């Protein structure tokens, strides 16, 4: 599903080139659950953003489901990203001006899904995540764990094939974190969603099927 | 999707109250002004165009009495004899029609034995209603023409005289010795009509009097207005040439020239003095342009606030925008969302403005003396509103929406906000532009106010206070005929009237003249003679025929020589104004030289200092003052504090001597202000606009200052912890803004100078544009700006530093 070949990314200050990612070769198959680990500043988020098509690399080839991502036009890339990828962040990144329901609904709006169908999908997922009672609240009114649940619900609502999660449990206590990991595992096993997560915790990494270690922008 | 857009927009609008209020207020105020200007401009541009085939109707013989000057002057009354042309010139389609306005001092209407002076009467010929469009309410045009002694009158006049427009139909009005019956009630003349006559009578009624017929059927009568309708493909130039030919064959007079133009152009042809005869004022294209520009400028500076504050606020919305892109929002979708937000906001603004404009319409009508309507059932109003909405959204929405749509969400994830570097310059420039405009407005308001004051105070060195004038009616009294136009007999009769008023001690003085001193438009350009005149030099000379006491009443200043004695010894002598001496080229010593008017020969006994006897838009021209001629304009000087008593006295005298006409008078101060009515209107409007523009600009500054203070909260906190004073921080925060305002002021100077000069060029006599006007305006603008900013920055500087640092 994901294939990175000799991908490098750098920044130039003066004449010095600092590598953020260096010669990354990586293949992730459909249905895998991969954990990326490494010390702070090693390039984990950068790698995740490149995979999520939010960021460009300076060198190399990135193939996502047969498409050569770096050669695509912005619009086509937007389509790929919109339909196949869901994001989960450490800081949840919900829209504060929208209710829980609306936050979850928005990705479907952007995909122009019909009202009746949309309502059914959102109601479904709200049910499943057990947040019916919270659906008309605004994010600041929820606890961190609840916000992250909403964040995951939003990432899943459009039925993506790939979930990218950047330290999804970083702001949660261990019990909440465990719940989230259980959820990921279930999604991965029962629905075959491919998951790539960044984490600092060995325990959380163990939920995955494979661990990739990064150091100074390289896979070690 | 749209529901989603609107919902978020609404939440954002209601969440940021301060920004919303600033924008709402600024845009609404500007928009109200814009709507009014649009109404006015639209009205001016559509003048007379509602008649069918208006562009093919020519108010043709604009007969200009050409002066030795290159400029056409005075009357352009149209030929009665236009019909001659009809048979000879090709391309005239529907013939012609004529109107004979009657308004020299008003037609006296006798309605149930009550007298009214009606200034908007006119006779119209059989073709009038074919050529021009009128909305008939009651009665019919056919029966109007069937009997010559008929009247068609407008709705509001019917209400005025008969209490009810419908009941007026069939009623009788007596004029002179004839009784007329009302046969048709018309809808009021629209605001964009050149024809403002309210009472129409068939021309055949007028011509049924043999002496009228004889009088008018010649080439010397210029009292008719004639309109012809040409076929669409006819060449107006040919018709004009044919007209000129006919005219030249019948009347050999090189001082008269003739031209034609379409009816739709007529409104802007200010050479035509006909306007006063049919009750309309001519339009002025340049003030039309100026006000259009002002309207757009106001809208523009209010939009700058919106753009600036919206863009400033987007920073706070970086997160929302970043997330929206990450979860699949495309460039287009975000663009549309923010455009929808502008659309919603602008619609609210438009609705508020429309309601305010509706409420303020009577005031606007009052100022402009027109009858505009603002009704939602009118297509024009809808067009204007929708056009404005589109314009607003374009001005306000596009730029912020573009910035937002182009935002790359990776920046958000890396903690960068939308506006890092690239927009600061633009935002600053917009503030500068705002203050350039505000500054120009304020200089404009100052210059206009000063010029008007100059006109009112210094320019006319005659005294107008406490003087009432009225015109002795020529038509209603037959004494002139009885006296056989004997000047002495008439003068003696007037003296009797004069004495009658003087009996009461509330009347200080009564003097007679041939015309009112504020607007002497009696002139002639032949028959004058003096020593050294070139044979073919016949300049136009204004005639001011006065009583000996006039000098003291108006405090007319003499430059040399003496004034008339109060006996008959100066019967044939003249006083000239300074300009006359200069233009005539009379050599020193002026006093005692020979001067003659149509053979009435005497001496120049004095020279007055120039005073403005017409509007100061016009140059002072040569004037000859003398005493021995028919005078029928009374000036009554009232003793201090005795106006009510004096008015009673004057009216009693009037009733005694003029029993069959209503008493009409004017206070000279008012009459004077009337000369500058348009200027006063302009000055009021510009003053209003400049206030609006400075308020809007200041509000924008306030918003931006608040925004910057918010952004720099942390910096301020740190500085305070390290011991910076409130004053120091206030200065630090204000410095940048003050710089912008100063740049704006400097740029505005030449622009303001140019605009002020341009406006002043409308006046023959004007103030000097001195530097202190600009300095004063600059200081004013700077002061207002500084106060506004301080309001915000002091607050920020005072904030508790510990609090702000904690939240970071
Ligand atoms: N656009 C950029 N310009 C310069 N440095 C960057 C940029 N993006 C990331 N970095 C740097 O690259 C390194 C890797 O960052 P990141 O991928 O966020 O690390 P991680 O997520 O593993 O903590 C960090 O040192 C970060 O400061
Ligand atoms: Mg990271």
């Amino acid at each position: 599903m994901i294939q990175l070949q000799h991908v490098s990314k750098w920044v130039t200050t003066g004449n010095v080139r600092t590598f953020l990612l260096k010669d990354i070769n990586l293949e992730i198959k459909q249905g895998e659950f991969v954990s990326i680990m490494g010390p702070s500043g090693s390039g984990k988020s950068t790698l995740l953003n490149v995979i999520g098509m939010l960021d460009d690399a300076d060198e190399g080839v990135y193939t996502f489901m047969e498409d050569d991502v770096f050669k695509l036009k912005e619009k086509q890339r937007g389509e790929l990203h919109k339909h196949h990828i869901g994001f989960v962040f450490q800081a949840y990144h919900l829209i504060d001006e929208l209710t829980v329901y609306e936050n979850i609904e928005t990705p479907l709006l952007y995909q122009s899904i019909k009202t009746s169908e949309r309502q059914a999908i959102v109601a479904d997922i709200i049910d499943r995540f057990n947040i019916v009672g919270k659906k008309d609240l605004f994010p600041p009114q929820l606890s961190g764990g609840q916000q992250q649940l909403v964040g995951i619900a939003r990432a899943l609502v459009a039925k993506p094939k790939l979930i990218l999660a950047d330290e999804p449990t970083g702001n949660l206590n261990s019990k909440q974190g465990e719940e989230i990991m259980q959820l990921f595992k279930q999604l991965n096993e029962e629905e075959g969603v491919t998951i790539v997560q960044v984490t600092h915790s060995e325990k959380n990494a163990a939920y995955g099927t494979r661990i990739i270690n990064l150091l100074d922008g390289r896979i070690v | 999707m749209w529901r989603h857009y609107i919902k978020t927009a609404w939440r954002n609008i209601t969440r940021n109250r301060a920004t919303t209020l600033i924008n709402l207020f600024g845009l609404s105020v500007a928009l109200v002004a814009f709507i009014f200007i649009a109404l006015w401009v639209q009205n001016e541009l559509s003048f007379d165009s509602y008649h069918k085939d208006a562009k093919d109707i020519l108010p043709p013989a604009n007969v200009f009495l050409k002066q030795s000057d290159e400029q056409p002057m005075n009357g352009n009354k149209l030929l009665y004899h236009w019909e001659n042309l009809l048979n000879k010139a090709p391309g005239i389609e529907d013939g012609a029609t004529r109107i004979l306005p009657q308004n020299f001092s008003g037609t006296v209407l006798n309605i149930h034995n009550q007298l009214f002076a009606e200034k908007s009467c006119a006779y119209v010929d059989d073709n009038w209603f074919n050529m021009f469009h009128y909305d008939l309410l009651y009665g019919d045009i056919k029966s109007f023409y069937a009997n010559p002694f008929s009247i068609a009158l407008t709705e509001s006049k019917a209400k005025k005289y008969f209490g009810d427009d419908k009941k007026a139909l069939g009623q009788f009005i007596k004029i002179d010795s004839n009784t007329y019956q009302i046969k048709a009630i018309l809808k009021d003349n629209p605001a964009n009509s050149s024809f403002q006559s309210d009472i129409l009578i068939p021309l055949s009624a007028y011509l049924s009097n043999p002496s009228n017929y004889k009088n008018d059927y010649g080439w010397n009568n210029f009292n008719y207005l004639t309109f012809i309708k040409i076929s669409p493909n006819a060449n107006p130039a040919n018709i004009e040439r044919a007209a000129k030919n006919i005219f030249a064959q019948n009347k050999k007079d090189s001082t008269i020239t003739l031209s034609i133009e379409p009816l739709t152009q007529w409104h802007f042809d200010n050479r035509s003095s006909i306007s006063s005869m049919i009750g309309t004022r001519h339009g002025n294209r340049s003030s039309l342009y100026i006000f259009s520009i002002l309207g757009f400028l106001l809208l523009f500076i209010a939009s700058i606030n919106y753009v600036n504050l919206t863009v400033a606020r987007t920073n706070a919305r970086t997160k929302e925008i970043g997330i929206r892109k990450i979860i699949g929002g495309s460039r287009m979708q975000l663009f549309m969302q923010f455009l929808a937000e502008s659309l919603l906001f602008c619609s609210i603004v438009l609705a508020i403005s429309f309601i305010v404009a509706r409420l303020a319409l009577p005031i606007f009508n009052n100022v402009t003396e027109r009858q505009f309507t603002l009704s939602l059932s009118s297509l024009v109003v809808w067009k204007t509103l929708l056009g404005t909405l589109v314009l607003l959204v374009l001005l306000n929405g596009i730029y912020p929406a573009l910035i937002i749509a182009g935002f790359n969400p990776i920046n958000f994830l890396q903690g960068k906000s939308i506006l890092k570097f690239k927009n600061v310059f633009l935002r600053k420039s917009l503030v500068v532009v705002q203050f350039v405009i505000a500054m120009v407005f304020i200089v404009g308001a100052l210059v206009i106010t000063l010029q008007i004051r100059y006109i009112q105070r210094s320019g006319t060195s005659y005294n107008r206070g406490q003087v009432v004038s009225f015109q002795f009616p020529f038509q209603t009294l037959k004494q002139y005929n009885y006296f056989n136009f004997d000047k002495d007999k008439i003068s003696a009769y007037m003296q009797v009237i004069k004495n009658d008023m003087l009996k009461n001690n509330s009347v200080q003085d009564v003097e007679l003249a041939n015309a009112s001193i504020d607007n002497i438009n009696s002139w002639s350009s032949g028959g004058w003679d003096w020593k050294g005149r070139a044979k073919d030099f016949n300049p136009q000379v204004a005639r001011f025929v006065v009583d000996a006491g006039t000098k003291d009443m108006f405090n007319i200043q003499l430059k040399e020589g003496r004034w008339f004695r109060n006996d008959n010894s100066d019967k044939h002598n003249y006083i000239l104004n300074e300009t006359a001496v200069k233009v005539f080229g009379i050599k020193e010593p002026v006093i005692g030289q020979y001067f003659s008017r149509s053979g009435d020969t005497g001496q120049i006994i004095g020279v007055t200092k120039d005073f403005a006897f017409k509007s100061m838009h016009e140059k002072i021209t040569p004037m000859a003052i003398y005493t021995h001629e028919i005078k029928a304009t009374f000036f009554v000087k009232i003793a201090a504090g005795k106006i009510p008593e004096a008015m009673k006295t004057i009216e009693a005298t009037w009733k005694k001597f003029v029993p069959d006409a209503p008493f009409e008078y004017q206070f000279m101060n008012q009459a004077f202000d009337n000369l500058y009515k348009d200027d006063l209107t302009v000055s009021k409007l510009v003053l209003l606009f400049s206030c609006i523009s400075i308020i809007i600009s200041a509000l924008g500054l306030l918003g931006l200052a608040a925004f910057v203070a918010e952004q720099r909260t942390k910096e301020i906190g740190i500085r305070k912890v390290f011991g910076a004073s409130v004053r120091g921080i206030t200065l630090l925060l204000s410095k940048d803004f003050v710089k912008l305002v100063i740049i704006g002021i400097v740029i505005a100077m030449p622009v303001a100078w140019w605009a002020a000069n341009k406006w002043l060029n409308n006046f023959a006599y004007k103030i000097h544009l001195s530097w202190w006007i600009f300095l004063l305006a600059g200081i004013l603008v700077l002061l207002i700006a500084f106060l506004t900013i301080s309001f915000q920055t002091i607050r920020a500087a005072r904030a508790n530093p510990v609090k702000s640092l904690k939240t970071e």
Side-chain angles (χ1 to χ4, degrees):
Chain A
M1 180 184 213
I2 293 167
Q3 197 175 26
L4 297 173
Q5 290 164 298
H6 307 295
V7 168
S8 290
K9 183 173 173 62
W10 60 78
V11 286
T12 320
T13 31
N15 285 327
V16 188
R17 190 180 271 188
T18 315
F19 281 92
L20 307 181
L21 297 174
K22 177 133 202 204
D23 194 29
I24 302 280
N25 291 292
L26 176 65
E27 186 170 358
I28 297 173
K29 297 227 164 56
Q30 182 118 24
E32 275 196 276
F33 185 171
V34 178
S35 300
I36 302 177
M37 297 191 72
S40 198
S42 57
K44 306 181 295 289
S45 298
T46 308
L47 177 60
L48 212 62
N49 290 339
V50 168
I51 294 174
M53 302 173 199
L54 296 175
D55 211 352
D56 272 325
D58 296 294
E59 216 173 63
V61 181
Y62 171 21
T63 318
F64 181 85
M65 296 169 50
E66 269 110 60
D67 283 309
D68 186 346
V69 174
F70 295 156
K71 295 224 171 97
L72 291 179
K73 293 215 182 77
E74 189 195 311
K75 211 168 176 183
Q76 297 164 305
R77 210 189 302 177
E79 286 297 307
L80 269 187
H81 151 210
K82 182 172 8 192
H83 289 291
H84 301 300
I85 306 177
F87 290 89
V88 178
F89 299 97
Q90 176 178 2
Y92 330 127
H93 288 341
L94 301 176
I95 297 174
D96 291 339
E97 289 80 11
L98 299 182
T99 63
V100 166
Y101 184 94
E102 289 159 357
N103 261 291
I104 297 173
E105 180 192 32
T106 308
L108 299 180
L109 283 170
Y110 284 137
Q111 294 188 20
S112 314
I113 291 175
K114 270 199 247 94
T115 313
S116 53
E117 192 182 341
R118 199 173 66 223
Q119 282 167 345
I121 298 174
V122 177
D124 219 40
I125 204 158
I126 281 179
D127 240 12
R128 184 170 145 205
F129 279 63
N130 234 333
I131 46 177
V132 180
K134 308 270 186 297
K135 74 176 172 37
D136 291 324
L137 297 181
F138 288 91
Q141 297 169 299
L142 303 179
S143 74
Q146 290 165 335
Q147 289 196 48
Q148 194 58 297
L149 271 183
V150 176
I152 296 171
R154 183 184 64 189
L156 286 174
V157 74
K159 307 227 155 51
K161 296 206 168 61
L162 173 67
I163 295 252
L164 299 173
D166 196 345
E167 301 185 41
T169 61
N171 282 1
L172 306 178
N173 63 34
S174 56
K175 187 169 163 278
Q176 290 170 327
E178 224 163 279
E179 275 171 31
I180 300 292
M181 280 305 118
Q182 283 295 344
L183 185 62
F184 274 1
K185 195 173 155 84
Q186 190 190 345
L187 283 172
N188 176 252
E189 284 170 0
E190 293 173 13
E191 297 179 29
V193 178
T194 313
I195 295 177
V196 180
Q197 70 163 346
V198 169
T199 183
H200 284 295
S201 131
E202 298 281 351
K203 201 171 139 215
N204 288 348
Y207 282 92
T209 50
R210 176 152 67 112
I211 294 177
I212 294 166
N213 279 300
L214 271 189
L215 188 64
D216 291 338
R218 296 168 201 263
I219 294 178
V220 291
Chain B
M1 194 85 233
W2 281 96
R3 261 192 56 206
H4 179 80
Y5 289 161
I6 299 294
K7 201 161 55 189
T8 0
W10 180 251
R11 284 183 195 154
N12 257 301
I13 288 170
T14 47
R15 183 155 311 184
N16 304 307
R17 294 238 174 79
T19 315
T20 302
L21 281 180
I22 288 176
N23 280 331
L24 216 55
F25 179 82
L27 276 175
S28 302
V29 168
L31 198 56
V32 170
F34 184 81
I35 289 175
F36 281 149
I37 291 173
L39 264 181
W40 183 62
V41 169
Q42 195 272 339
N43 183 66
E44 288 287 297
L45 292 179
S46 69
F47 240 84
D48 296 326
S49 58
Y50 66 94
H51 300 293
K52 192 170 160 277
D53 305 327
K55 67 174 179 15
D56 297 325
I57 297 176
L58 305 178
N62 261 328
V63 178
F64 299 112
L65 299 169
K66 199 169 72 179
Q67 295 310 305
S68 46
D69 281 336
E70 70 286 352
Q71 223 178 347
M73 291 285 296
N74 228 315
N76 67 342
K77 297 159 195 166
L78 293 151
L79 283 174
Y80 173 55
H81 267 289
W82 197 251
E83 65 190 26
N84 272 312
L85 180 64
L86 306 185
N87 311 323
K88 291 177 188 164
I92 294 176
E93 193 182 59
D94 255 347
T97 187
R98 290 170 307 225
I99 184 169
L100 173 63
Q102 298 284 301
N103 76 334
F104 305 105
S105 55
T107 304
V108 176
L109 309 180
N110 181 332
I111 300 169
H112 304 317
N113 285 326
Q114 256 189 297
L115 301 180
F116 302 94
E118 178 54 65
K119 295 209 167 174
S120 60
C121 287
Y123 295 102
V124 294
D125 75 2
D126 295 354
N127 215 5
W128 186 260
F129 287 96
N130 292 336
M131 193 101 101
F132 296 114
H133 175 85
Y134 281 85
D135 287 317
L136 188 72
L137 293 176
Y138 309 107
D140 65 294
I141 297 303
K142 217 170 169 187
S143 60
F144 168 74
Y145 283 123
N147 181 347
F149 293 93
S150 303
I151 277 183
L153 86 172
T154 55
E155 200 183 348
S156 52
K157 281 288 149 76
K159 278 189 186 131
K160 179 180 168 196
Y161 291 129
F162 299 96
D164 181 279
D165 50 344
K166 195 166 182 187
K167 281 196 194 121
L169 195 68
Q171 301 268 12
F172 295 94
I173 296 178
K174 215 172 132 189
I175 300 172
D176 290 335
S177 54
N178 295 319
T179 301
Y180 298 78
Q181 190 176 24
I182 297 171
K183 292 287 178 58
I185 311 285
L186 309 167
K187 220 170 169 178
D188 283 356
N189 295 301
N192 63 351
S193 174
S194 286
F195 310 120
Q196 295 293 336
S197 300
D198 291 326
I199 297 187
L200 301 175
I201 301 170
L203 185 60
S204 45
Y206 177 80
L207 293 178
S208 67
N209 179 339
S211 85
N212 285 346
Y213 187 83
K214 205 173 129 230
N215 236 335
D216 288 7
Y217 217 85
W219 283 98
N220 290 319
N221 194 306
F222 292 88
N223 295 330
Y224 289 81
L225 277 160
T226 310
F227 300 85
I228 55 171
K229 192 165 184 180
I230 60 171
S231 45
N233 45 10
N235 183 354
N238 288 340
I239 293 171
E240 184 173 288
R241 205 172 315 121
K244 278 184 172 149
N245 278 337
I246 294 167
F247 192 67
Q249 280 160 24
N250 289 284
K251 187 166 174 74
K252 301 206 172 4
D253 187 341
S254 63
T255 64
I256 295 177
T257 172
L258 189 150
S259 71
I260 60 178
E261 68 196 330
L263 183 62
T264 44
Q265 299 291 310
W266 200 40
H267 177 62
F268 290 107
D269 187 349
N270 57 11
R271 294 174 301 181
S272 163
S273 71
I274 272 303
S275 49
S276 64
M277 297 175 71
I278 52 172
T280 187
R281 274 181 284 156
H282 276 280
N284 181 329
R285 259 187 221 279
S286 67
S287 62
L288 197 68
Y289 294 143
I290 289 172
F291 277 103
S292 308
I293 292 171
L294 293 188
F296 279 106
L297 282 182
L298 277 183
L299 211 54
F300 184 63
I301 59 172
S303 298
I304 287 179
N305 276 358
Y306 183 87
V307 171
N308 257 346
L309 293 176
T310 308
V311 171
R313 274 256 88 87
T314 31
N315 247 3
R317 295 175 72 178
T318 304
K319 179 178 165 194
E320 180 198 337
I321 296 156
I323 297 171
R324 282 181 183 280
K325 286 211 138 181
I326 289 171
I327 62 176
S330 69
R331 195 182 267 263
M332 191 62 189
Q333 281 164 330
L334 271 115
F335 179 79
M336 290 312 285
Q337 179 193 335
F338 280 80
L339 204 62
E341 216 168 295
S342 298
L343 188 69
L344 177 70
F345 191 80
C346 294
S347 305
I348 296 172
V349 167
L350 197 66
I352 292 177
S353 310
F354 184 76
I355 292 167
V356 173
R358 271 290 281 269
L359 295 176
L361 192 64
I363 303 171
F364 181 66
N365 280 342
N366 207 344
V367 173
T368 55
E369 297 192 327
R370 286 180 173 79
Q371 285 307 316
F372 294 111
T373 51
L374 201 54
S375 144
L376 280 178
S377 61
S378 147
L379 195 68
V380 176
V381 168
W382 273 108
K383 272 192 215 157
T384 313
L385 287 180
L386 284 179
T388 316
L389 185 63
V390 170
L391 181 75
L392 265 185
V393 172
L394 286 178
L395 275 175
N396 289 321
I398 300 286
Y399 174 68
L402 274 178
I403 292 188
I404 286 157
F407 179 60
N408 188 346
I410 191 71
N411 289 321
F412 155 65
L413 291 178
Q414 290 171 348
K416 293 180 206 150
S417 56
I418 293 183
L419 312 171
K420 256 280 123 68
F421 312 103
K422 59 177 181 188
N423 299 304
V424 176
F425 177 73
L426 186 87
R427 265 203 351 261
K428 284 183 173 172
S429 323
L430 287 177
V431 171
V432 171
V433 169
Q434 242 176 351
F435 276 88
V436 168
I437 296 170
M439 173 76 184
V440 171
F441 268 122
I442 285 181
V443 170
L446 270 176
V447 168
I448 290 176
T449 311
L450 286 173
Q451 170 71 11
I452 300 257
R453 218 182 54 169
Y454 168 76
I455 289 171
Q456 280 169 331
R457 299 253 173 98
S458 52
T460 53
S461 44
Y462 63 83
N463 192 354
R464 300 180 299 274
Q466 298 274 95
V467 178
V468 166
S469 86
F470 61 86
Q471 184 90 30
F472 189 84
F474 283 81
Q475 296 143 312
T476 49
L477 274 176
K478 306 293 183 214
Q479 269 87 349
Y480 287 104
N481 284 339
Y482 303 155
F483 296 140
N484 221 354
F485 285 92
D486 182 317
K487 290 174 208 166
D488 292 322
K489 279 183 188 157
I490 292 171
S491 172
Y493 183 75
M494 294 296 178
Q495 193 61 46
V496 175
I497 301 176
K498 211 164 146 175
N499 290 338
D500 194 68
M501 284 184 275
L502 281 169
K503 271 191 296 203
N504 190 299
N505 68 357
S506 63
V507 173
Q508 221 173 57
D509 188 14
V510 182
E511 301 297 335
L512 272 158
N514 66 328
S516 195
I517 187 168
D518 60 302
N519 198 6
I520 297 173
N521 46 22
S522 165
W523 55 271
S524 61
S525 65
W528 302 94
D529 199 23
W530 58 88
K531 196 176 146 214
R533 184 178 71 92
K535 247 210 172 114
D536 53 353
F537 184 44
N538 284 312
Q540 175 195 337
V541 182
R543 299 183 299 193
F544 192 29
V545 187
V546 297
D547 279 357
T550 310
K551 172 178 178 287
D552 292 334
M553 178 181 274
F554 291 113
N555 194 19
I556 294 169
Q557 306 286 316
L558 280 181
K559 194 181 153 218
E560 57 177 314
R562 63 173 178 85
W563 188 256
F564 303 108
R565 294 204 179 90
N566 198 5
D567 51 35
N568 257 344
S569 61
D570 283 323
K571 209 169 158 177
H572 302 292
N573 289 342
Y574 297 89
I575 294 174
L576 304 180
N577 68 353
E578 278 175 281
T579 304
V581 173
K582 231 178 287 157
V583 171
F584 297 168
I586 295 175
K587 301 234 165 48
E588 292 292 340
V590 179
I591 307 301
Q593 282 204 33
Y594 150 86
F595 198 81
S596 162
R597 173 185 62 96
S598 310
D600 190 351
T601 300
Q603 292 180 353
I604 301 171
I605 57 166
V607 177
T608 68
K609 287 188 183 160
D610 274 345
F611 61 90
F613 56 88
K614 280 183 288 191
S615 144
M616 286 172 83
H617 286 288
E618 290 166 50
K619 264 216 162 70
I620 293 176
T621 50
M623 176 164 76
I625 310 174
Y626 48 101
T627 56
H628 198 56
E629 187 54 82
I630 293 174
K631 293 168 271 191
T633 301
F634 281 86
F635 296 110
V636 182
K637 176 111 179 172
I638 297 171
K642 296 211 167 145
I643 292 181
E645 199 185 334
M647 291 316 295
K648 250 181 243 154
T649 309
I650 301 168
E651 190 161 4
T653 304
W654 174 279
K655 285 240 169 80
K656 202 185 303 175
F657 291 90
V658 196
D660 54 355
F663 177 46
E664 285 203 57
Y665 62 93
Q666 58 176 357
F667 278 91
M668 290 300 292
N669 268 330
Q670 272 170 19
F672 180 81
D673 284 347
N674 274 345
L675 282 180
Y676 303 102
K677 215 175 207 162
D678 288 346
D679 298 313
L680 286 169
T681 309
V682 168
S683 84
K684 277 186 225 156
L685 289 177
V686 171
L687 201 64
L688 182 71
F689 287 172
S690 52
C691 288
I692 295 175
S693 74
I694 190 82
I695 289 173
I696 294 175
S697 307
L699 277 177
L701 214 49
L702 187 73
L704 275 186
F707 172 72
V708 167
E710 185 187 305
Q711 273 202 323
R712 293 171 74 171
T713 314
K714 192 175 165 191
E715 181 195 334
I716 295 167
I718 294 173
R719 280 176 191 271
K720 279 190 87 171
V721 168
F722 283 97
S725 66
V726 170
R727 226 190 67 192
I729 291 175
T730 307
L731 278 181
L732 174 87
L733 288 176
S734 309
K735 216 175 55 195
D736 279 350
F737 286 114
V738 171
K739 236 191 276 166
L740 295 183
V741 174
I742 290 177
I743 294 174
I745 290 172
V746 170
I747 295 176
M749 295 281 184
V751 182
W753 188 86
W754 176 84
N757 235 344
K758 191 111 187 149
W759 183 76
L760 283 175
N761 277 341
N762 281 322
F763 292 88
Y765 300 90
K766 56 198 168 200
I767 55 166
H768 175 68
L769 268 184
S770 32
W771 55 270
W772 64 263
I773 297 176
F774 296 88
L775 189 70
L776 186 70
I779 291 174
L780 200 68
V781 169
L782 201 58
L783 206 67
I784 293 172
F786 188 73
L787 285 178
T788 318
I789 301 163
S790 314
F791 176 75
Q792 199 34 255
T793 47
I794 289 176
R795 228 176 56 172
R798 281 225 181 115
N800 184 347
V802 181
K803 239 184 183 168
S804 66
L805 289 181
K806 253 189 188 161
T807 54
E808 275 295 310

